[in-house]
């Protein structure tokens, strides 16, 4: 069957997928749109495809005629047949005109481009109930695809479906119809796998599909799963290239390019390496033993990754050279971009646009480089002179200086890395991309992030929550108090306090620390030890004072320490081993802190102590006791290295060095610790000899982290305890309840009417609803606001009281007196007309004229606890739900809890209980407990209201009085504004510049 719109033009109609290759010329300037409608530039987007490459999605316009013809000529005959249901070797002039002239409302076409040339197209035509061309209010459209054969399997059609569906919804289209030949199984799969509600039928030899474009949980899950696979693949292509070209490597030692080249070779990179510099124009040139060429084009072989170390003004020609010859990604070390001012910022935008036009991704500019320690890659494409040891930690930084410090700190403490990225200005590839990669990277167990800015906070929170559910994510945030993003970073500016941001990150499972030292401390513990099952901590060691310091630190961090076990200063390494083994076997503790001070006058016990502790941990692991162990040491040089040196729980098959014993008098017995050292080393020699003959592989390592201060060890342990608790709770997530009393359509109609009448533009700060409008809107969601009647005079006050019924409250609503009972603007429990008139006179005499005070009369609510419920849209964090007690508790002390919207029933319960003044809600000092289930329901209804209607930019319910039975909302302020485009909803797209 042909589509109705194409039948009218005499062409075939269907959905198809297939094709051939495309060229790679620079992207053209934005085409001119037909005169009837403005060009919808917000539909333009860069997307990451299934194989990790990128493509640009944009509307098709009249200027694309030649590109369309060229594209169609490269499509196979089979693909054309699938598209038009008949042989269709070439497009007529009429076809070209139709497929390039759109009104961007009823007829829309989108193209996916690489190098400025089409690789796929999609279009829709609005139709009526009979399948004929139509205009609004018809809400159905026929959709058709065409993808070049060479680009099939890259996920192009799936990405285009997401974008054309978003466009259709914006234009009032709710359903897509498509006809597909039964043999075109690839296109059928694109539709059926998208996750939309759909119907399928077989008519006249073709498959007829109908898709409901309203997003579903499944369609969103499908979209985000594809996003994760694509972005993870794009990172993998950067971290595991088969060949690397260092562009800018010169003969002079010490330059950036030459340094990176030597670091690549020194790390033992397993792929092919090339040096590129215009000076290498002689045939057979070489540099440091690798082939050298004047350009990437001259190499004549594939180049997967290019390291760019040339002046900024030369970078565009390098990008073109790499893009035109198939490079997949760039690491731009060059400076002189957004960190240098306005001109550099424009240069950075041009760099991103140019690289993406070729389907390449960028790390940088102003980057320090990337490292992959995998044995089959061994990539050190960075300025770090030494390759880190292989390990289980993934490390991302935005600062090269901090990256150097972190690499050094981890190296000193024996920690290894799976991969390292220092992204500089992170104009393209960011921490979000690496979270996608590390989420299912089997080589990474712990993720460490140093961030100075978060370009897409909503997406970061979503990705961090998902990753934290399977492995720890530890974040230290720089530039917290500067009030602006670091130079070179383009980010939305948050309006919420830093403490609130931290609370929201913790809600997402992120382990939030304040310094890079704490980042390393937490990373070492999480990478080497199991998560604690609870907060109970055993403490043992040979120093009573150090044990007490550790005990106090545990209490400070909210842990539950047991009384320290003092082994005394005479304790031997065997005593430590036995005490640790006993603690690990004890069901009354969840973690163990070992404290150690050096033995007086005895050398060589450090290695023996480390071996003894490892032996105890290995025995505990074999017995099934999965408990973390940390060591606090004072002036015991080499203990941290000794604890982390083992690659297994079995000693390595090498002859250990015998330590020198403390001198003793002739014939005198050895000191216990010295004798223990000799015996332990003898045992190690015997074990080493046995291990050399034992063909079985060693057991996995469990490095024991060591800390020079009790506070640092306990702080890292406390973070692990809190994270372990979050993991256990995340395994059984809460739910967002459904309420029958919600009228979502009625609320939407009210919002549209108010915004239409007030004429709020996109740049408007929005409108504040009247008291009546706010009450009506909240009422649509089952939130009743007690009416407050204006009282411009004593008589009006009496009339209002008669209408509401005594007792009543008289209060002012002037902005400077609102919610300030301490200023005397509220009179409560007025039971008679006389009391009301007296209170009115006192109020006006003390505070001002009625027209200044704007007094109102309100029926008294049941006695209870005054609380405040707020929700607001933050440009960085998204919708945030907040709760606290009314008055000084929340305002002066900052005792307010926050959760991201939509809140679950578990979130609501935690909100109520997480503020410091929560005991007032639960019967503090003999008072009656209040109705917390009603309070939690109120929180969930506010969350649902804000989540359903992005036009609501803020809601404040103050006060909400929670009584022993029920909750009464006495005041409500609601602000609206046209919904701003979000950065984490809708079709997949890379950040734009």
């Amino acid at each position: 069957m042909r589509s109705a719109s194409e039948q009218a033009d005499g062409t075939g109609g269907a959905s198809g997928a297939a094709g051939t290759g495309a060229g790679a010329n620079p992207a053209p300037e934005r085409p001119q749109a037909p005169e009837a409608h403005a060009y919808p530039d917000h539909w333009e987007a860069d997307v990451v495809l299934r194989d990790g490459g990128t493509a640009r999605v944009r509307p098709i316009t009249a200027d694309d005629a030649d590109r369309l013809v060229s594209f169609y000529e490269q499509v196979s005959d089979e693909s054309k047949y699938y598209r038009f249901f008949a042989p269709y070797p070439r497009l007529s002039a009429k076809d070209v005109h139709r497929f390039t002239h759109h009104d961007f409302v009823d007829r829309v076409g989108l193209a996916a481009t690489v190098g400025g040339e089409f690789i796929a197209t999609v279009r829709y035509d609005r139709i009526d109930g009979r399948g004929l061309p139509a205009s609004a209010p018809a809400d159905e459209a026929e959709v058709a695809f065409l993808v070049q054969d060479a680009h099939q399997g890259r996920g192009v059609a799936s990405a285009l479906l997401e974008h054309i569906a978003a466009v259709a919804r914006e234009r009032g289209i709710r359903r897509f119809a498509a006809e597909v030949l039964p043999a075109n199984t690839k296109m059928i799969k694109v539709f059926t796998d998208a996750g939309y509600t759909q119907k399928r039928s077989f008519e006249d030899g073709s498959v007829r599909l109908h898709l409901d474009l309203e997003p579903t949980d499944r369609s969103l899950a499908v979209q985000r799963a594809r996003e994760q696979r694509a972005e993870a693949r794009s990172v993998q292509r950067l971290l595991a290239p088969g060949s690397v070209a260092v562009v800018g490597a010169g003969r002079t030692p010490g330059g950036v390019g030459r340094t990176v080249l030597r670091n690549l070779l020194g790390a033992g990179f397993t792929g092919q390496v090339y040096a590129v510099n215009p000076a290498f124009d002689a045939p057979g040139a070489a540099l440091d033993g690798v082939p050298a060429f004047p350009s990437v084009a001259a190499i004549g072989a594939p180049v997967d990754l290019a390291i760019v170390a040339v002046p900024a003004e030369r970078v565009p020609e390098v990008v073109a050279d790499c893009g035109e010859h198939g490079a997949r990604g760039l690491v731009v070390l060059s400076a002189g971009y957004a960190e240098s001012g306005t001109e550099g910022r424009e240069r950075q935008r041009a760099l991103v646009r140019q690289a993406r036009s070729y389907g390449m991704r960028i790390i940088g500019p102003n980057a320090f480089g990337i490292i992959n320690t995998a044995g089959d890659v061994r990539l050190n494409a960075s300025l770090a002179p030494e390759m880190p040891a292989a390990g289980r930690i993934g490390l991302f930084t935005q600062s090269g200086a901090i990256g150097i410090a972190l690499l050094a700190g981890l190296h000193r403490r024996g920690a290894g890395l799976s991969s390292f990225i220092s992204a500089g200005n992170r104009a393209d590839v960011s921490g979000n991309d690496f979270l996608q990669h590390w989420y299912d990277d089997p080589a990474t167990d712990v993720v460490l992030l140093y961030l100075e800015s978060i370009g897409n906070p909503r997406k970061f929170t979503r990705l961090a929550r998902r990753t934290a559910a399977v492995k720890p994510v530890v974040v230290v945030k720089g530039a917290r108090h500067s009030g602006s993003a670091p130079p070179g970073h383009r980010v939305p500016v948050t309006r919420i306090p830093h403490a609130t941001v931290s609370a929201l990150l913790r809600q997402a499972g992120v382990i939030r620390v304040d310094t890079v030292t704490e980042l390393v401390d937490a990373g070492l513990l999480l990478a080497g030890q199991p998560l604690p099952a609870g907060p109970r901590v055993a403490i043992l060691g040979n120093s009573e004072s150090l044990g007490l310091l550790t005990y106090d630190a545990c209490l400070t961090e909210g842990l539950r320490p047991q009384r320290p076990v003092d082994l005394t200063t005479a304790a031997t390494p065997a005593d430590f081993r036995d005490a640790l083994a006993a603690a690990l076997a004890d069901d009354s503790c969840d973690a163990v802190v070992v404290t150690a001070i050096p033995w007086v006058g005895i050398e060589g016990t450090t290695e023996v102590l480390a071996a003894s502790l490892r032996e105890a941990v290995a025995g505990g692991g074999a017995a099934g006791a999965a408990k973390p162990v940390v060591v606090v040491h004072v002036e015991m040089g080499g203990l941290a290295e000794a604890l982390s040196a083992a690659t297994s729980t079995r000693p390595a098959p090498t002859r250990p060095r015998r330590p020198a014993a403390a001198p003793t008098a002739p014939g005198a017995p050895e000191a216990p610790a010295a004798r223990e050292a000799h015996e332990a080393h003898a045992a190690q020699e015997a074990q080493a000899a046995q291990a050399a003959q034992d063909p079985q592989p060693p057991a996995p390592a469990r490095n024991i982290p060591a800390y020079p201060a009790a506070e640092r060890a306990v702080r890292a342990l406390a973070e692990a305890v809190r994270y372990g608790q979050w993991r256990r709770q995340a395994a059984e997530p809460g739910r967002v309840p459904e309420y029958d009393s919600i009228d979502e359509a009625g609320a939407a109609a009210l919002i549209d009417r108010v915004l239409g009448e007030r004429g709020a533009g996109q740049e408007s700060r929005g409108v504040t609803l009247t008291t009546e409008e706010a009450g009506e809107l909240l009422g649509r969601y089952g939130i009743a606001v007690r009416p407050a009647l204006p009282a411009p005079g004593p008589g009006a006050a009496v009339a209002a009281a008669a209408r509401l019924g005594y007792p009543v409250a008289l209060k002012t609503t002037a902005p400077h007196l609102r919610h300030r009972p301490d200023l005397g603007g509220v009179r409560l429990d007025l039971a008679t007309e006389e009391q009301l008139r007296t209170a009115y006179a006192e109020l006006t005499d003390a505070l001002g004229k009625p027209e200044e005070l704007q007094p109102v009369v309100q029926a008294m609510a049941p006695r209870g606890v005054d609380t405040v419920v707020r929700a607001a849209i933050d440009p960085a964090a998204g919708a945030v739900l907040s709760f606290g007690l009314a008055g000084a508790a929340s305002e002066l002390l900052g005792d307010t809890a926050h959760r991201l919207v939509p809140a679950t029933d578990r979130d609501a319960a935690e909100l109520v209980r997480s503020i410091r003044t929560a005991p007032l809600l639960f019967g503090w000092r003999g008072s009656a407990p209040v109705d917390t289930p009603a309070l939690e329901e109120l929180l969930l209804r506010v969350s649902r209201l804000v989540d359903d209607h992005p036009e609501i930019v803020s809601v404040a319910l103050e006060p909400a009085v929670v009584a022993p039975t029920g909750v009464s909302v006495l005041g409500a302020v609601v602000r609206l504004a046209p919904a701003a485009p979000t950065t984490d909803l809708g079709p997949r797209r890379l950040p734009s510049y």
Side-chain angles (χ1 to χ4, degrees):
M1 172 187 274
R2 294 181 176 181
S3 68
S5 58
E6 290 175 338
Q7 282 179 2
D9 274 1
T11 59
S15 301
T20 56
N25 296 319
E29 295 182 2
R30 180 177 295 166
Q32 298 298 314
E35 295 180 1
H37 297 279
Y39 179 82
D41 55 5
H42 64 288
W43 294 350
E44 294 183 352
D46 293 305
V47 298
V48 183
L49 303 177
R50 183 180 301 156
D51 62 356
T54 65
R56 179 119 179 120
V57 175
R58 65 169 178 83
I60 299 173
T61 71
D63 290 344
D64 289 318
D66 291 342
R67 295 183 190 89
L68 180 66
V69 171
S70 176
F71 160 73
Y72 193 78
E73 289 174 348
Q74 299 176 71
V75 174
S76 69
D77 290 339
E78 181 183 46
S79 299
K80 294 171 182 176
Y81 186 87
Y82 283 156
R83 171 63 178 86
F84 293 106
F85 288 19
Y88 215 85
R90 64 186 59 83
L91 296 176
S92 68
K94 188 176 182 180
D95 294 331
V96 173
H97 182 275
R98 174 169 181 77
F99 294 153
T100 57
H101 287 70
H102 305 96
D103 61 10
F104 303 124
V105 178
D106 299 327
R107 299 179 57 254
V108 172
L110 300 180
T113 68
V114 173
E117 298 299 325
F118 289 5
I119 64 169
T121 62
V122 62
R123 56 181 280 113
Y124 79 66
D125 293 86
R126 195 188 300 258
I127 58 176
D128 60 18
R130 297 173 298 167
L132 299 176
S135 297
D139 61 357
E140 185 171 356
E142 191 155 53
V143 65
F145 292 78
L146 187 60
V147 181
Q148 286 185 356
D149 299 65
H151 294 279
Q152 287 184 38
R154 302 185 66 200
V156 184
S158 299
L160 282 176
L161 178 57
E162 290 179 21
H163 283 263
I164 198 70
V167 169
R169 288 192 296 268
E170 179 183 328
R171 297 308 194 198
I173 293 172
R174 297 291 173 260
R175 290 178 303 281
F176 272 163
E179 282 191 81
V180 189
L181 289 174
N184 194 356
T185 55
K186 292 181 180 179
M187 199 66 240
I188 294 174
K189 185 174 174 60
V190 168
F191 286 116
T192 57
D193 288 353
Y196 295 113
T197 302
Q198 58 184 272
K199 297 179 181 178
R200 188 193 307 195
S201 60
F202 190 79
E203 303 175 10
D204 298 331
S206 65
V207 178
R208 183 77 174 174
L209 295 167
H210 291 269
L211 279 73
D212 186 341
L213 299 184
E214 186 66 25
T216 65
D217 289 342
R218 181 168 178 263
S219 69
L220 186 60
V222 168
Q223 177 179 315
R224 289 179 170 172
R226 288 170 172 168
E227 172 196 62
Q228 189 274 326
R229 289 193 297 269
E231 293 181 358
R233 178 57 182 158
S234 73
V235 169
Q236 181 65 19
R237 298 201 320 178
L238 296 168
L239 286 174
S243 56
V244 176
V246 182
V247 184
R251 296 189 184 278
T252 304
V256 172
R258 184 71 176 273
T259 299
V260 173
L261 179 63
R262 290 187 171 180
N263 292 344
L264 265 171
L265 299 175
F269 176 57
T270 58
Q272 180 65 52
V273 180
Y274 305 101
V276 176
N277 192 307
F280 301 134
D281 53 358
L287 181 65
D288 289 338
V290 304
F293 299 91
S295 66
V296 173
I299 293 175
V303 171
D304 294 328
L305 179 67
I307 313 300
V308 182
V310 301
E313 57 270 16
R314 284 194 51 214
V315 170
E317 63 183 86
V318 172
V319 173
D321 185 25
C322 294
E324 290 169 3
H325 293 88
R328 294 180 169 184
L330 307 171
V331 177
V332 181
L333 308 181
S334 311
Y337 288 88
E339 80 282 358
S340 62
T342 302
E343 182 179 348
R345 189 174 299 110
E346 291 302 319
R347 185 182 295 121
Q348 182 167 302
R349 290 170 178 161
L351 168 64
V352 173
R353 288 194 296 267
Q354 184 187 17
R356 287 181 180 171
S357 74
Y358 291 107
M360 297 185 295
R361 302 213 65 184
I362 301 173
I363 291 179
N366 197 25
F368 185 77
I370 59 175
I371 295 173
N372 183 356
T373 63
D376 57 347
V377 179
R378 297 198 57 78
L379 173 73
N380 182 8
S382 78
L383 296 173
E386 294 185 10
M387 182 79 159
R392 311 293 301 176
I393 295 175
L395 176 60
F396 177 92
T397 78
Q398 292 174 352
S399 162
I402 298 299
I404 294 171
L406 286 169
L407 286 174
L410 290 166
H411 174 73
R412 283 194 304 270
R413 299 176 68 179
L417 299 178
S418 61
S419 49
F420 164 78
I421 306 90
S422 181
N425 294 1
R426 58 144 189 76
D428 179 27
V429 177
S430 69
N432 284 347
D433 295 283
F434 280 92
L435 279 177
Q436 299 277 39
H437 166 69
W438 283 321
Y439 166 67
D440 56 4
D441 177 26
T444 302
D445 291 337
V446 179
V447 174
L448 305 184
L449 304 170
Y450 171 79
L451 304 176
E452 293 176 347
S453 63
I454 302 176
N456 188 340
R458 298 186 189 191
K459 182 175 180 179
F460 175 79
T461 302
R462 169 170 62 84
L463 300 185
R465 180 192 294 271
R466 186 191 60 191
T467 305
V470 295
K471 60 188 67 173
V473 177
V474 191
V475 173
V476 60
K477 178 74 166 60
R480 298 193 302 269
H481 307 297
S482 63
S484 62
H489 294 222
R490 180 180 180 271
V491 297
V493 179
T494 182
R495 291 193 293 260
I496 58 179
H498 166 67
T500 303
V501 175
S502 296
L504 297 177
L505 289 178
R506 288 187 182 278
Q507 180 194 352
V510 173
I511 299 173
R512 178 74 173 75
V513 297
D514 292 326
T515 68
V516 292
T517 300
E518 293 176 358
L519 185 73
V520 173
D521 286 347
L524 287 172
L525 189 154
L526 294 164
Q529 295 293 304
L531 290 177
R536 303 170 302 174
V537 180
I539 303 169
L540 61 92
N542 61 352
S543 168
E544 181 181 11
S545 298
L546 190 54
L548 291 175
L549 284 174
T550 305
Y551 183 89
D552 291 342
C554 287
L555 292 176
T556 300
E557 292 293 336
L559 303 179
R560 292 164 50 191
Q562 299 175 354
R563 180 64 57 185
V565 176
D566 182 15
L567 303 179
T568 77
T569 55
T572 66
D575 294 330
F576 274 88
R577 179 195 61 210
D578 296 341
L580 177 56
L584 291 173
D586 185 359
D587 292 337
S588 67
C589 75
D590 304 305
V592 184
V593 179
V594 178
T595 63
I597 60 174
W599 284 267
V600 178
I602 302 176
E603 299 179 1
T605 54
T606 297
E607 294 87 347
V608 183
L609 176 60
S612 297
L613 296 178
R614 290 199 302 269
E615 182 181 350
V617 169
K627 298 179 183 178
V629 177
V630 299
V631 173
V632 178
H633 64 93
V634 176
E635 297 299 328
M636 295 189 70
L639 180 59
E641 292 81 358
L643 286 169
S644 64
T647 57
S648 72
T649 55
R650 179 178 302 157
T654 57
R655 186 180 182 88
R657 178 180 60 86
R658 180 184 298 273
T664 58
E670 290 184 300
R675 182 171 60 253
E676 181 66 33
H678 292 166
E679 293 172 355
H681 275 277
Q684 280 187 339
E685 290 179 354
Q687 289 175 340
Q690 177 65 32
Q693 302 174 5
D694 191 346
Q696 295 181 354
R702 271 183 59 185
N703 291 342
I704 304 173
Y707 303 87
E711 295 78 11
R712 287 174 55 182
V714 171
R715 190 175 299 118
L717 180 59
E719 294 293 357
V721 168
R722 287 187 283 267
Y723 170 68
Q725 181 181 10
W726 181 90
R727 278 275 292 267
R728 290 188 291 274
Q729 292 177 345
E732 298 180 2
R735 64 183 184 88
V736 178
E738 294 290 337
Y739 297 109
D740 296 335
S741 56
I742 288 178
D743 180 8
E744 183 177 347
L750 174 60
I751 291 170
D752 291 342
R753 174 174 59 81
V754 171
L755 288 177
E757 292 174 353
R758 310 288 175 86
Q762 190 68 32
E763 301 301 322
S764 170
R765 295 178 61 85
V767 294
T768 300
L769 297 188
T770 65
T771 301
E772 294 74 17
E773 290 168 339
E776 180 184 353
L777 177 62
L778 293 167
R780 300 282 186 181
Y781 274 71
I783 302 170
V785 181
R786 284 187 171 254
L789 303 180
V798 170
R803 178 179 171 185
L804 296 172
Y806 289 98
V808 297
L810 176 68
K811 55 187 180 181
T812 65
T813 59
H816 65 289
L817 297 172
R818 180 184 289 270
H819 309 309
R820 292 295 307 274
D822 55 308
L823 298 180
V826 179
R827 300 289 191 275
L828 302 177
D829 287 321
L830 305 176
T832 65
E833 178 180 339
E834 181 182 357
Q835 291 179 357
L836 177 57
R837 288 184 180 275
T838 300
Y840 199 98
E842 292 174 351
L843 202 66
T844 53
D845 289 344
L847 300 176
K849 300 177 180 179
E851 54 268 26
E852 298 172 351
L853 303 182
Q854 304 172 27
V856 297
V857 174
Q858 194 171 45
M860 282 295 299
R863 293 285 185 173
V865 179
D866 290 1
T867 66
V868 180
V869 176
R870 292 191 177 95
I873 304 295
D874 182 81
V880 179
L881 180 68
S882 305
F883 170 75
L885 298 193
S890 59
E891 296 179 11
L892 182 61
L893 303 179
D895 188 20
T896 305
H898 311 273
R899 290 295 184 272
L900 292 172
V901 170
T904 65
D905 52 359
R906 173 173 288 172
D907 292 329
E910 291 175 352
L911 268 175
V912 170
R913 291 159 178 79
S914 59
I915 58 175
R916 296 192 297 276
T917 46
L920 293 173
L921 302 169
F922 295 92
W924 186 65
R925 289 191 174 180
S927 62
V930 300
D931 190 351
T932 51
L935 176 59
E936 292 167 15
E937 180 177 332
L938 175 64
L939 289 165
L940 290 168
R941 288 180 180 273
V942 172
S943 169
R944 174 73 184 274
L945 172 67
V946 174
D947 190 44
D948 287 346
H949 306 283
E951 300 88 352
I952 300 176
V953 295
S954 68
V955 175
L957 307 183
E958 184 177 4
V961 182
V962 192
T965 302
V967 57
S968 302
V969 178
L970 303 187
V973 177
V974 180
R975 287 186 60 250
L976 305 179
T982 60
T983 55
D984 194 38
L985 300 175
R988 292 171 281 162
R989 63 172 60 215
L990 290 170
S992 59
Y993 288 89

